[in-house]
Amino acid sequence: MTSFPFKLLAVDGGARTGVLKTPRGDIATPAFMPVGTAATVKALYPEQVRDAGAQIILGNTYHLMLRPGAERVKRLGGLHAFMRWDGPILTDSGGFQVWSLSGLRKLEEDGVTFKSHLDGSSHHLTPERSIEIQADLLGADISMQLDECTPFPCERDAAARSMELSLRWAQRSRDAFGERKTQAIFGIVQGSVYDDLRRDSAEGLKRIGFDGYAVGGLAVGEGFEMMCKVLDATTLFLPSDRPRYLMGVGKPVDLVEAVARGIDMFDCVLPTRSGRHGQAWSDYGPVNLKNARFAEDPRPLDESSDCPASRDYSRAYLHHLVKANEYLGSMLLSWHNTAYFQSLMARMRAAIDDNRFETFRKDFHDKLGQPFD
Ligand code: GUN
């Protein structure tokens, strides 16, 4: 039934490598998807995103339906042509962004009514409309079901009701999507921090049948330990022959721990957002380029990197750009961070393929405690 074959290549403990085949190219997993919310991975050219190693990016229904409008993107040839990215694009369905960004919102069985964060105008998003926007108008390779990202903390009863609504929306999203040869649709597991709700959600989604399964409702304030616990409880009930996607995560250490628990795909604004705020990511954690210790440091961030931003510009220059609030500072640090996250994924894939992921994981944690020099 699925149009996107997913081949597992190696399994090492809970971690696995694979290839998700799409008509617009193969995706080596575990994969990190740079976020291109408004039809741009902020501060980067598409060529830089690709050269950094990204094989798929994420776009957002919520932002694009409000501006420039999904019908307009369709008239301009679809999202790929519009933004000049010819690789696969996964779009988020809008539920999470309505929850986190919009002003007044009203959740009903039919869908969600919300006011735009841009101009206060009123909009209605249903599972059917979200799929129409993603698959038909934007032309996403992978569409996500409409869901409700259950807020945290949440009482059990409320979490159960929210998860059940997401399940009903999963069925409606799946029905609206129908059968397509060149596009895929993923379901989203909810259930807050309650193991049995996560299980019921996963089982319900499997009965409906999706091309891939996302874990939603995490990284919303529950903390690292709880996130790991919920992942353990959830992946147990996800089919091992389909990709598993942890939404909105995260820091490098979160990626390593989620890969250890069998997650195959990630997205997060962190590399580009922290790049715009003067932060460079490294195996030693985040580094603040504003720090005076870099004012006369002639060394690059990482001389061993293939990324020009990491290899060819001095820390002193980056320090100056960040201090002076120059656009190029944001651009170079977003580029470095995007390349760093891709290289981290590539190193994890290599470790899993060589059956040494546990050593990689231990070395990663050891290094994280040491100073960046
Ligand atoms: N991004 C991060 N978390 C979520 C979630 O729970 N649902 C959706 N749709 N997107 C997300």
Side-chain angles (χ1 to χ4, degrees):
M1 99 85 218
T2 179
S3 40
F4 286 19
F6 180 60
K7 188 162 177 244
L8 275 183
L9 297 176
V11 176
D12 184 4
R16 54 236 214 111
T17 57
V19 183
L20 180 60
K21 291 198 155 296
T22 86
R24 283 195 170 86
D26 290 358
I27 303 159
T29 64
F32 183 87
M33 302 183 278
V35 173
T37 287
T40 161
V41 177
K42 289 189 198 301
L44 295 177
Y45 291 105
E47 291 79 5
Q48 293 175 299
V49 177
R50 190 195 56 219
D51 291 349
Q55 295 176 316
I56 175 170
I57 61 170
L58 176 139
N60 270 311
T61 299
Y62 172 85
H63 296 79
L64 295 170
M65 73 183 279
L66 296 180
R67 184 175 61 193
E71 274 77 9
R72 177 169 291 170
V73 173
K74 166 83 173 172
R75 287 193 296 275
L76 292 167
L79 185 55
H80 298 80
F82 185 53
M83 68 182 293
R84 297 196 64 260
W85 171 266
D86 60 8
I89 300 177
L90 176 149
T91 47
D92 199 358
S93 52
F96 179 75
Q97 287 73 29
V98 166
W99 177 70
S100 62
L101 288 176
S102 81
L104 285 178
R105 57 191 174 262
K106 197 162 106 207
L107 202 69
E108 292 163 309
E109 185 63 35
D110 181 56
V112 58
T113 307
F114 62 93
K115 286 210 186 324
S116 159
H117 72 295
L118 297 172
D119 61 5
S121 58
S122 194
H123 299 264
H124 188 58
L125 198 58
T126 61
E128 293 78 14
R129 175 65 178 158
S130 177
I131 295 302
E132 180 186 19
I133 292 173
Q134 295 180 80
D136 297 331
L137 300 174
L138 302 176
D141 302 279
I142 303 175
S143 298
M144 301 302 299
Q145 72 153 102
L146 188 66
D147 63 330
E148 186 196 11
C149 180
T150 309
F152 179 86
C154 186
E155 295 288 336
R156 215 199 113 83
D157 282 0
R161 279 196 301 277
S162 168
M163 180 276 281
E164 283 154 13
L165 177 69
S166 285
L167 261 188
R168 293 192 295 276
W169 285 3
Q171 182 71 63
R172 284 170 56 192
S173 300
R174 187 73 192 77
D175 291 344
F177 186 82
E179 295 302 324
R180 299 174 188 236
K181 283 210 162 53
T182 59
Q183 292 173 299
I185 181 169
F186 285 14
I188 306 175
V189 178
Q190 293 289 346
S192 188
V193 295
Y194 306 99
D195 291 359
D196 57 330
L197 297 185
R198 290 276 172 183
R199 179 201 61 212
D200 293 350
S201 177
E203 298 289 0
L205 293 175
K206 278 192 287 185
R207 273 194 296 278
I208 297 169
F210 285 91
D211 299 307
Y213 296 85
V215 186
L218 288 177
V220 289
E222 76 283 358
F224 177 74
E225 304 291 325
M226 184 60 94
M227 183 182 82
C228 290
K229 190 179 111 19
V230 171
L231 278 182
D232 284 329
T234 306
T235 48
L236 205 57
F237 299 101
L238 294 179
S240 55
D241 63 348
R242 297 311 310 162
R244 304 157 171 176
Y245 160 30
L246 176 55
M247 306 190 80
V249 172
K251 292 195 295 292
V253 64
D254 302 324
L255 304 182
V256 171
E257 287 308 304
V259 165
R261 290 165 170 79
I263 298 293
D264 308 301
M265 299 168 67
F266 301 90
D267 81 276
C268 191
V269 296
L270 193 61
T272 44
R273 180 171 291 167
S274 48
R276 295 195 304 282
H277 291 105
Q279 268 191 340
W281 283 88
S282 76
D283 282 354
Y284 305 92
V287 179
N288 187 351
L289 263 301
K290 249 193 188 155
N291 194 303
R293 74 184 164 116
F294 298 119
E296 296 202 14
D297 189 337
R299 296 171 297 167
L301 284 169
D302 180 1
E303 64 182 6
S304 71
S305 171
D306 291 337
C307 172
S310 322
R311 186 191 58 204
D312 299 342
Y313 295 83
S314 71
R315 297 174 190 182
Y317 183 54
L318 295 170
H319 169 82
H320 159 71
L321 292 176
V322 171
K323 289 279 283 190
N325 251 318
E326 286 290 344
Y327 291 120
L328 187 58
S330 296
M331 292 158 63
L332 287 172
L333 289 176
S334 298
W335 195 6
H336 161 82
N337 287 338
T338 297
Y340 171 76
F341 273 62
Q342 293 301 326
S343 100
L344 176 62
M345 302 314 293
R347 285 183 287 149
M348 285 200 273
R349 292 194 297 266
I352 297 165
D353 286 340
D354 297 348
N355 233 298
R356 52 178 175 80
F357 185 72
E358 270 317 300
T359 312
F360 174 91
R361 185 181 179 187
K362 186 180 172 305
D363 291 349
F364 181 86
H365 283 281
D366 287 349
K367 218 168 170 187
L368 203 48
Q370 296 167 21
F372 175 80
D373 182 49

